[in-house]
Amino acid sequence: MPHRSPRRVLGTAAAALAAAAAAALLPAVPAAAASLPPGIPTESEARSRLDGLTVRPEGASSPYDRSLFPHWEGVEGNCNAREYVLRRDGTGVETDGACRAVSGTWSSAYDGAGTTDPSDFDIDHMVPLAEAWRSGADTWSSAKRRSFANNVEGPLLWAVSASSNRAKSDQDPSDWQPSRSAVHCAYAASWIESKHRYALTVDRDEKDALRGMLDRAC
C-alpha cells in the first residue's frame, strides 16, 4: 500500500485568526505591495497547464524525509536559495559579504504581514517538499530533488511570513489557501506552474480547488 504522510489540516477561520495574531506581533513597517516571484503564468497559461496535469491519488513508495531534498544550496555567487529569494523579493535590500540580508523591507503576499527583520520570514516552497514527494518526487534522483528545492528561476519559492508558511505546512490548495484573497490567482497559477514544470501529479480535490481559485480570483 502506498505510504502517505499525515497532514495537519486547519479550519479556514482558525488559520486566519492565527495568521492575524502572528502578524500583529511583527514590527510595523511602511505599507508596501507584496513582491511576487517572477515567472507566474497568465490565467490562460495556468488553465492550459492545469488541464495537462496527470490526476492521480497521492502516495509514495517510501516514507518522506526532508533530507532527501538538499535545500538552501548555492544558486548564484555566494548566495544560497534562501538568501537569493530574500534579496529578490524584498525592497531596498542590502546584503553583507556572505549574501545575508542586513537591511530591507519585506511584505508577505500570503497574509499582508510586513517586516524589516528577515528572520521573521520563511522561504516557502510553493509546492511543499512533502507534497512533491507524494506527487511523484519519490521516484526522482537526488539531483532532480535538489533542483526542485532550490529553483529560483520561477515562482517555486516565495518569501512569506513564518506564521503563514507554518500554517500552510504541507497542505495543498484543497486544504489551505492564503488568508489574503488578492493573491489567490497568482498562488494557484504558481502552484500549477510548479507541478507542470516538474511533471508532478495532482489529486482530484487539489485540481478542483485550483480551478476554483482561477475561476474566483483571476
Side-chain angles (χ1 to χ4, degrees):
M1 176 178 292
H3 174 84
R4 175 167 177 153
S5 58
R7 289 185 177 178
R8 175 167 55 91
V9 179
L10 299 179
T12 302
L17 287 172
L25 298 177
L26 296 179
V29 297
S35 295
L36 298 179
I40 298 174
T42 65
E43 178 190 354
S44 61
E45 289 171 337
R47 289 185 184 277
S48 176
R49 290 170 188 174
L50 179 60
D51 288 340
L53 294 177
T54 298
V55 178
R56 191 190 73 185
E58 290 184 356
S61 57
S62 59
Y64 165 72
D65 185 333
R66 187 174 174 84
S67 67
L68 294 170
F69 290 83
H71 53 285
W72 309 152
E73 298 201 343
V75 295
E76 180 184 88
N78 60 348
C79 296
N80 67 29
R82 172 181 166 81
E83 294 158 348
Y84 182 98
V85 173
L86 284 171
R87 186 185 65 184
R88 181 192 71 188
D89 295 347
T91 300
V93 178
E94 295 185 4
T95 59
D96 62 18
C99 199
R100 292 185 294 261
V102 295
S103 65
T105 301
W106 292 267
S107 181
S108 171
Y110 290 0
D111 56 7
T115 189
T116 56
D117 182 353
S119 67
D120 290 330
F121 269 36
D122 287 349
I123 305 304
D124 177 48
H125 289 94
M126 169 53 59
V127 171
L129 302 181
E131 164 70 20
W133 183 261
R134 296 189 296 261
S135 304
D138 61 316
T139 65
W140 291 354
S141 66
S142 180
K144 188 171 182 178
R145 289 193 288 266
R146 179 182 292 106
S147 169
F148 180 83
N150 298 281
N151 192 320
V152 297
E153 297 176 354
L156 281 74
L157 296 175
W158 290 50
V160 297
S161 66
S163 58
S164 64
N165 182 45
R166 293 165 197 181
K168 174 182 175 180
S169 186
D170 68 341
Q171 300 172 91
D172 73 34
S174 68
D175 294 322
W176 187 91
Q177 298 175 14
S179 60
R180 184 171 168 267
S181 60
V183 78
H184 282 188
C185 180
Y187 187 91
S190 298
W191 183 284
I192 293 165
E193 175 68 13
S194 300
K195 289 222 160 175
H196 165 78
R197 186 173 297 196
Y198 283 85
L200 291 168
T201 62
V202 290
D203 64 39
R204 176 55 58 188
D205 288 346
E206 176 187 354
K207 184 173 184 177
D208 290 346
L210 288 164
R211 193 179 304 281
M213 292 177 80
L214 295 176
D215 290 344
R216 291 189 304 272
C218 294

